[in-house]
Amino acid sequence: MTALDDATAREAGATPDAPAMSPAAASAGRHLWMHFARMHGRDGADPVPVITKGEGVHLWDDRGRRILDGLAGLFVVQAGHGRRELAEAAARQASELAYFPVWGYTTPPAAELAERLAHLAPGDLNRVFFTSGGGEAVESAWKVAKQYFSLRGKPTKHKVISRATAYHGTTHGAMAITGLPAMKKDFEPLAPGGFRVPNTNLYRHPEFDGDAEALGRWAADRIEEAIGFEGADTVAAVVLEPVQNSGGCLTAPPSYFARVREICDRHDVLLVSDEVINAFGRHGHPFACSRFGFTPDIVTCAKGMTSGYGPLGAMITSDRVIEPFLEPGVTFPHGYTWGGHPVSAAVALANLDLMEREDLYGRVLGNAAAFEATLRKLEDLPIVGDVRGDGYFWAIELVKDKATRETFDAAERERLVKGFLPRALLDNGLYCRPDDRGDVVVQLAPPLIAGQAEFDEMEQILRHTFTEAWALV
């Protein structure tokens, strides 16, 4: 490239090592307000990455690079990209009936999907309330818990208890349940009534010496302690994820969930299993609460229900919870325009058929140990402190001192998580999630069709990138 060519390229947003900015990136830099993303400089030297195509477990960007999708889009694309039968299901439904609400009405796909989900859900979770996505499902769960107790003559039961660092959504209600103070500070005051208890991060509780059962007992007891402190007559629900996302794939033993179930029953508190990420095969079951041996009163779900081929979420309640709403004259005054959208519902039905036909649940159960073993190879790196997770949902915690588990300070996080890792991982051929909402982690949740070849590719790219990161910090 000549000096003149170099100058011309810079004006177009390029460098000697990178091509000129694509039209889509240029438009995004000027007009697109991205979610959870910094936008400074995106119309110049740091253009918006543009993903143009997906096929199987891979993506392609506007530079023609093939990228391994290590996050299933956003914990969503269970069946993989480019599944024509899901696109065709959407087209068939749109050509027959593109839209009609479930506000006192239904459509055949919405009714069929509600029945299908009721059959897949554990216990007596038989009533399905559709939403557009996961945050709306959590919002709906809190509202239904409040009205449930009001209808039962206990209107003071309105508070909700969740875990530290947990993310449950961005609406004002769901954000009040979220345990991430930094995410909430710009939007306060939020809906009142959200309270936090410790999570089950075994790596950050070294006093338990690796004893997950002991940590589980202690953490569950903190829930009962919080209910007692606030007053059982004021607490409506406990909300938890079977595997907590934010903070980095935090697991707990089945005995923890059994103990929480007992505590909720003892104090007449609803147990909500937030499975927006965990459901639909991520842990080898339609619903992860089955994987961990407990039956909640409410499940919230979304993401993998359609494998991302249409937006859809749901709140699924037990017969006990729906009972007072079936009394004469009672209405749940809540809903969403796109909840139960017939096209998305048709796609969800086709996706569930596909997952069962290809036994993606069994594939996850059969491959989970190999996925874990492959990722644990990275434990020999000085920057890798912990590898944790379950099924096809794993996190790698990065540290600057392996012996003391010392994490990174604010400046180091800025350079590593906000600066280096996202672009380096993508440039090295892997899309996944660097996150520092708790400690510094990189999360992996590939499509459920991934196998050993993809696990090996992820491990090799991560090893190369983490080695680069260690040199940087």
Side-chain angles (χ1 to χ4, degrees):
M1 179 179 285
T2 67
L4 180 59
D5 290 336
D6 191 8
T8 303
R10 282 198 302 273
E11 289 178 6
T15 72
D17 300 317
M21 192 185 306
S22 70
S27 294
R30 291 191 298 267
H31 301 294
L32 179 63
W33 196 327
M34 293 181 294
H35 298 202
F36 288 100
R38 295 178 177 180
M39 293 182 287
H40 174 74
R42 293 304 181 95
D43 56 350
D46 185 25
V48 178
V50 179
I51 303 301
T52 60
K53 177 186 174 183
E55 187 68 36
V57 297
H58 288 98
L59 305 162
W60 281 261
D61 70 5
D62 58 352
R63 295 166 56 181
R65 298 182 300 177
R66 191 181 80 157
I67 301 159
L68 178 61
D69 184 356
L71 203 67
L74 193 62
F75 318 105
V76 170
V77 190
Q78 317 294 66
H81 300 277
R83 302 305 294 256
R84 185 173 296 275
E85 64 190 271
L86 301 186
E88 290 172 347
R92 282 195 303 271
Q93 181 59 46
S95 65
E96 185 170 331
L97 177 66
Y99 175 75
F100 202 79
V102 292
W103 294 37
Y105 303 86
T106 191
T107 62
E112 184 180 349
L113 180 59
E115 182 177 8
R116 182 80 166 269
L117 293 176
H119 288 161
L120 290 173
D124 66 344
L125 276 79
N126 290 317
R127 190 67 63 147
V128 179
F129 182 94
F130 287 117
T131 66
S132 309
E136 292 178 355
V138 173
E139 188 85 8
S140 302
W142 193 2
K143 291 180 74 173
V144 88
K146 288 181 176 181
Q147 190 177 356
Y148 166 79
F149 283 112
S150 179
L151 291 170
R152 285 186 49 211
K154 298 183 177 183
T156 62
K157 289 176 76 71
H158 67 277
K159 297 174 184 175
V160 74
I161 294 170
S162 59
R163 298 186 290 189
T165 320
Y167 172 82
H168 294 287
T170 56
T171 59
H172 269 65
M175 189 176 289
I177 300 174
T178 290
L180 294 162
M183 282 190 63
K184 301 191 283 189
K185 63 183 179 62
D186 290 330
F187 308 109
E188 292 175 328
L190 301 174
F195 296 88
R196 238 62 58 212
V197 293
N199 60 42
T200 57
N201 187 341
L202 188 60
Y203 182 70
R204 288 296 168 189
H205 281 284
E207 67 273 21
F208 289 99
D209 195 27
D211 188 343
E213 292 287 342
L215 173 61
R217 288 192 298 272
W218 176 83
D221 288 346
R222 301 291 74 73
I223 292 175
E224 186 158 41
E225 183 177 82
I227 292 172
F229 184 82
E230 293 300 323
D233 61 337
T234 72
V235 179
V238 169
V239 178
L240 50 79
E241 300 159 279
V243 176
Q244 184 174 314
N245 168 39
S246 184
C249 299
L250 307 179
T251 60
S255 58
Y256 166 80
F257 298 102
R259 197 175 183 93
V260 174
R261 177 72 274 180
E262 292 171 0
I263 290 167
C264 288
D265 290 342
R266 185 156 53 245
H267 298 288
D268 194 17
V269 172
L270 298 180
L271 177 56
V272 180
S273 183
D274 181 358
E275 305 202 17
V276 171
I277 288 175
N278 296 160
F280 305 109
R282 187 59 48 193
H283 301 280
H285 293 265
F287 293 96
C289 53
S290 300
R291 162 82 174 88
F292 294 96
F294 72 102
T295 301
D297 300 293
I298 300 173
V299 164
T300 58
C301 57
K303 293 187 184 287
M305 193 191 315
T306 68
S307 279
Y309 288 73
L312 190 62
M315 171 188 67
I316 309 173
T317 72
S318 67
D319 291 342
R320 175 167 74 101
V321 170
I322 190 65
E323 184 178 5
F325 294 88
L326 301 178
E327 292 297 319
V330 176
T331 299
F332 181 39
H334 177 66
Y336 300 100
T337 299
W338 306 115
H341 193 288
V343 174
S344 292
V347 170
L349 288 164
N351 179 58
L352 293 173
D353 287 342
L354 185 158
M355 293 180 67
E356 291 177 4
R357 185 175 67 251
E358 298 187 2
D359 191 22
L360 295 188
Y361 302 116
R363 182 177 180 84
V364 170
L365 293 174
N367 285 339
F371 190 22
E372 176 182 1
T374 304
L375 293 178
R376 289 202 181 279
K377 292 179 181 180
L378 297 166
E379 290 178 324
D380 67 336
L381 297 175
I383 198 172
V384 173
D386 192 29
V387 176
R388 56 181 179 258
D390 181 81
Y392 270 36
F393 189 35
W394 287 84
I396 300 164
E397 182 169 337
L398 305 183
V399 295
K400 68 178 181 180
D401 190 315
K402 199 161 185 156
T404 65
R405 306 187 184 186
E406 182 183 1
T407 190
F408 302 95
D409 62 29
E412 291 164 336
R413 288 174 179 234
E414 177 70 24
R415 185 164 39 153
L416 184 65
V417 181
K418 303 299 190 297
F420 175 74
L421 281 173
R423 183 56 59 92
L425 287 163
L426 202 65
D427 287 345
N428 290 333
L430 177 63
Y431 166 67
C432 56
R433 187 182 199 182
D435 189 12
D436 68 341
R437 292 175 297 177
D439 294 297
V440 175
V441 298
V442 172
Q443 286 184 293
L444 298 148
L448 308 188
I449 60 172
Q452 190 62 53
E454 289 74 36
F455 304 159
D456 289 339
E457 186 178 355
M458 278 186 267
E459 189 271 337
Q460 291 162 14
I461 294 172
L462 290 167
R463 178 172 295 277
H464 175 70
T465 307
F466 291 164
T467 301
E468 293 179 319
W470 182 248
L472 178 69
V473 302

